[in-house]
Amino acid sequence: LFTRTALQSTRIVDGIMGSNNAHLIKYYLDWEERELSADQINAEINYELFNKKSAFEFGAERATARLYQPNNFYYAYEELDGVTFLDPFSANSIGTRLESEDELYAAYAKNKFYTNIFSDEDHIDVGLNISTKDRVSRQNKFYLRPYKENIADTTEITGDIESIYYEYVRNDIPYNEMPYRVSPLFTAADYFDATVDTAEYYVNLFIKPYDSLEIFAGARYVDFTQTIYQYKEDRENPDMSLRNLIQKVPESLVVNDLYPSITVKYKYDKNNHVDLALSKTYITPDLREFTDGIYVHPYEVATVMGNPDLTNTEIYNFDLKYSHYISDTENIKAGVFAKYLDKPIEDVQLPSSSLPIYSFVNSDSAILYGIEIDGRKNLDFLHNKLADFYLSGNFTYTESEVTLQDEQVGVLSSDSRQLQGLSPTIVNLTFGYEVSDRIVNLSYNMMGERIKKVGVIDGEYIYPDTYEVPPHLLDLVWIEKMGDYSFKFKAGNLLDDKIIWKQGDMITKEFQTGTTFDFSASYQF
């Protein structure tokens, strides 16, 4: 498998912003390339053991992924008293180059032993999954550093951006008279390497004591190590002359634990089923979140500060669902769920007098509970000509409550709130048409307001939580199949609804991401 995608985008942000409440018009010129290459091999061997069926499966994979942004560029004009000019002191011209490469090696092996304890379907699965993933990430930023002594009046720097650069940057100007000089805006912390090693050993048991009852139970032992290699200046070196040397410093996070699960399915009859599931899972901090590194946010104008005290989150899950099957392709399902999160990871925004500073904390715990409804119905009941049309969707409502650690009370701005990043309501609806050689879907998505960053208290100042109002999304997907060929067209974000960030009563950012169009072709042989 090999895929390569490229995205070119231009964004314009116009509004009152910054600590000076200046009227700025910001321009973002972005180009991004993504490549994915994967090679896989799988095999299955069927045999008998003690006159009972058995199956052995194994496989291996090598995959590489590359993210490349050769020169994403940003500049801004200021508008004051009817004059639009390039003010280098309120907004710099910045160019960013980002390269990130991942390499994955993975393998698995499992054996299914049919036990025939209660039925011919009863079996035991024993297996292992192992993988190692390496990442190399490099980000370089440069900006046009202004020199006040060589700029008489910024309001005179007007015109289109190319004319300004030719006159003030590319022109043949003596070095000591240059209004701008290209200067680095990155540090050693904007480089990092990472290695993630995972080994999972599991055993699963499936039994069917009655035709109406199925039980699936299992346990998984996880041996997980995530190591980040930070690039840092050797500031503690006793030799002052060596303190600018760069060190490669490792920081690791380890998970060694057992994760059990059990699912019970009761079939009242062919069309009515009840499922009960209990499980324990985990979430680890994302690569650099658990380090003490300070680095530039890859997509926002912000600084990110890691937290070396961050730990993984343990999650205990409970799910109860009722399913009614109308036909092989039609159903309606309703359920309740609950989750207990031990040490949930949340994003916080730290106090700052200039650019935003983001970080991460472990709250003490969180409880989530809610309801979920989903289903699909063909429209032939309206008219037989609508037999190939259908309507599907799901609705989720979630209540959550976070408990802070004792030392966080009086530090985080709210001690009674929902979990950061969680939308209480989620709605998905799809109107579709499906036949053997054509699939057309019109899909709608809506998510409720959620906490984007948890606020903090800084002395007498209380910074409220930052909320995000997600956009309403409408996507169209059209797939045509012609023999061994397949063509796919997607128009994404047709509504181009606004994304709103707000803090307290203030809207801090309001923007649109634009409509996207994608076309792809594939051939199967």
Side-chain angles (χ1 to χ4, degrees), residues 449-450 452 466-471 497-503 506-512:
E449 184 179 285
R450 59 193 176 197
K452 181 179 183 290
T466 299
Y467 281 81
E468 179 183 62
V469 182
D497 196 22
K498 291 180 179 179
I499 302 170
I500 299 173
W501 297 351
K502 58 184 183 179
Q503 193 170 26
M506 294 182 58
I507 293 179
T508 60
K509 192 171 183 178
E510 186 177 89
F511 61 99
Q512 296 163 275

Side-chain angles (χ1 to χ4, degrees), residues 375-491:
R376 170 172 166 153
K377 184 72 179 76
N378 297 335
L379 301 184
D380 54 353
F381 70 96
L382 297 175
H383 196 283
N384 56 11
K385 291 185 177 182
L386 299 177
D388 298 323
F389 292 84
Y390 67 89
L391 187 67
S392 67
N394 62 68
F395 169 77
T396 304
Y397 178 77
T398 308
E399 285 282 356
S400 63
E401 184 176 343
V402 173
T403 300
L404 302 183
Q405 299 187 47
D406 291 341
E407 59 270 22
Q408 294 173 334
V409 177
V411 175
L412 301 182
S413 60
S414 57
D415 55 8
S416 179
R417 56 171 171 78
Q418 63 189 37
L419 185 67
Q420 179 270 325
L422 176 69
S423 290
T425 56
I426 299 175
V427 176
N428 291 291
L429 292 172
T430 297
F431 175 67
Y433 171 78
E434 187 171 347
V435 291
S436 59
D437 57 355
R438 178 176 298 158
I439 299 173
V440 182
N441 291 327
L442 184 65
S443 300
Y444 168 79
N445 169 266
M446 186 278 289
M447 293 188 291
E449 184 179 285
R450 59 193 176 197
I451 297 176
K452 181 179 183 290
K453 303 289 180 184
V454 176
V456 296
I457 299 174
D458 183 24
E460 61 182 13
Y461 296 102
I462 298 177
Y463 297 86
D465 299 333
T466 299
Y467 281 81
E468 179 183 62
V469 182
H472 294 252
L473 299 175
L474 186 66
D475 298 336
L476 173 67
V477 176
W478 191 308
I479 300 175
E480 287 285 338
K481 298 178 181 179
M482 301 177 183
D484 295 328
Y485 292 91
S486 179
F487 303 92
K488 179 179 178 181
F489 169 78
K490 178 180 179 181

Side-chain angles (χ1 to χ4, degrees), residues 3-29:
T3 63
R4 184 179 186 275
T5 59
L7 174 64
Q8 177 179 333
S9 63
T10 301
R11 293 179 290 136
I12 302 175
V13 180
D14 187 335
I16 306 300
M17 60 194 80
S19 57
N20 297 327
N21 290 322
H23 181 187
L24 299 179
I25 304 100
K26 297 182 176 182
Y27 294 83
Y28 299 83
L29 309 177

Side-chain angles (χ1 to χ4, degrees), residues 47-54 113-117:
Y47 65 99
E48 288 192 357
L49 182 66
F50 304 121
N51 295 322
K52 296 185 185 299
K53 291 190 305 180
S54 296
F113 303 97
Y114 285 88
T115 59
N116 306 114
I117 300 174

Side-chain angles (χ1 to χ4, degrees), residues 102-106 130-135 192-199 222-229 251-253 282 284-288 290:
D102 290 0
E103 188 169 32
L104 168 72
Y105 291 91
I130 56 175
S131 66
T132 180
K133 184 175 77 170
D134 296 317
R135 172 173 293 179
F192 76 93
D193 301 334
T195 298
V196 180
D197 294 317
T198 306
V222 175
D223 182 3
F224 173 93
T225 302
Q226 181 171 275
T227 303
I228 307 299
Y229 298 92
E251 297 181 62
S252 295
L253 182 143
Y282 72 98
T284 61
D286 195 21
L287 289 177
R288 304 186 74 184
F290 71 96

Side-chain angles (χ1 to χ4, degrees), residues 26-45:
K26 297 182 176 182
Y27 294 83
Y28 299 83
L29 309 177
D30 298 336
W31 176 268
E32 179 176 283
E33 299 174 8
R34 291 179 181 268
E35 288 184 2
L36 172 65
S37 177
D39 300 305
Q40 297 178 338
I41 183 172
N42 301 283
E44 180 176 352
I45 301 173

Side-chain angles (χ1 to χ4, degrees), residues 31-246:
W31 176 268
E32 179 176 283
E33 299 174 8
R34 291 179 181 268
E35 288 184 2
L36 172 65
S37 177
D39 300 305
Q40 297 178 338
I41 183 172
N42 301 283
E44 180 176 352
I45 301 173
N46 296 306
Y47 65 99
E48 288 192 357
L49 182 66
F50 304 121
N51 295 322
K52 296 185 185 299
K53 291 190 305 180
S54 296
F56 176 68
E57 295 182 39
F58 64 92
E61 177 184 12
R62 177 187 179 273
T64 59
R66 180 173 181 261
L67 168 64
Y68 181 46
Q69 298 172 350
N71 184 27
N72 286 355
F73 198 74
Y74 156 81
Y75 62 93
Y77 286 92
E78 181 175 345
E79 186 175 298
L80 181 65
D81 298 330
V83 179
T84 301
F85 58 96
L86 194 75
D87 187 350
F89 302 108
S90 62
N92 294 308
S93 297
I94 301 174
T96 304
R97 178 188 180 94
L98 173 64
E99 291 185 86
S100 180
E101 295 188 5
D102 290 0
E103 188 169 32
L104 168 72
Y105 291 91
Y108 75 91
K110 65 178 182 179
N111 205 106
K112 178 181 288 187
F113 303 97
Y114 285 88
T115 59
N116 306 114
I117 300 174
F118 299 105
S119 72
D120 292 341
E121 300 175 40
D122 296 351
H123 63 267
I124 296 175
D125 275 330
V126 179
L128 64 91
N129 301 312
I130 56 175
S131 66
T132 180
K133 184 175 77 170
D134 296 317
R135 172 173 293 179
V136 176
S137 180
R138 304 288 183 262
Q139 179 174 263
N140 297 325
K141 278 193 175 186
F142 296 89
Y143 76 111
L144 291 179
R145 181 180 180 182
Y147 286 81
K148 290 185 177 181
E149 62 272 20
N150 296 330
I151 300 176
D153 186 356
T154 57
T155 59
E156 295 180 356
I157 307 176
T158 59
D160 65 89
I161 194 66
E162 286 297 320
S163 299
I164 291 173
Y165 287 161
Y166 271 111
E167 181 176 354
Y168 293 95
V169 181
R170 301 175 184 139
N171 210 350
D172 188 12
I173 304 173
Y175 183 80
N176 59 353
E177 297 177 11
M178 286 182 172
Y180 302 94
R181 294 172 193 165
V182 177
S183 302
L185 194 60
F186 63 95
T187 65
D190 293 313
Y191 285 36
F192 76 93
D193 301 334
T195 298
V196 180
D197 294 317
T198 306
E200 297 182 345
Y201 310 90
Y202 64 88
V203 57
N204 297 321
L205 170 67
F206 176 86
I207 56 174
K208 192 174 181 180
Y210 307 99
D211 289 341
S212 60
L213 183 64
E214 298 176 357
I215 300 173
F216 182 89
R220 175 174 56 116
Y221 179 78
V222 175
D223 182 3
F224 173 93
T225 302
Q226 181 171 275
T227 303
I228 307 299
Y229 298 92
Q230 300 261 88
Y231 288 84
K232 300 179 179 181
E233 293 182 342
D234 189 9
R235 307 306 295 172
E236 303 299 323
N237 197 308
D239 187 341
M240 297 287 290
S241 65
L242 300 178
R243 290 192 173 184
N244 287 331
L245 294 180
I246 304 301

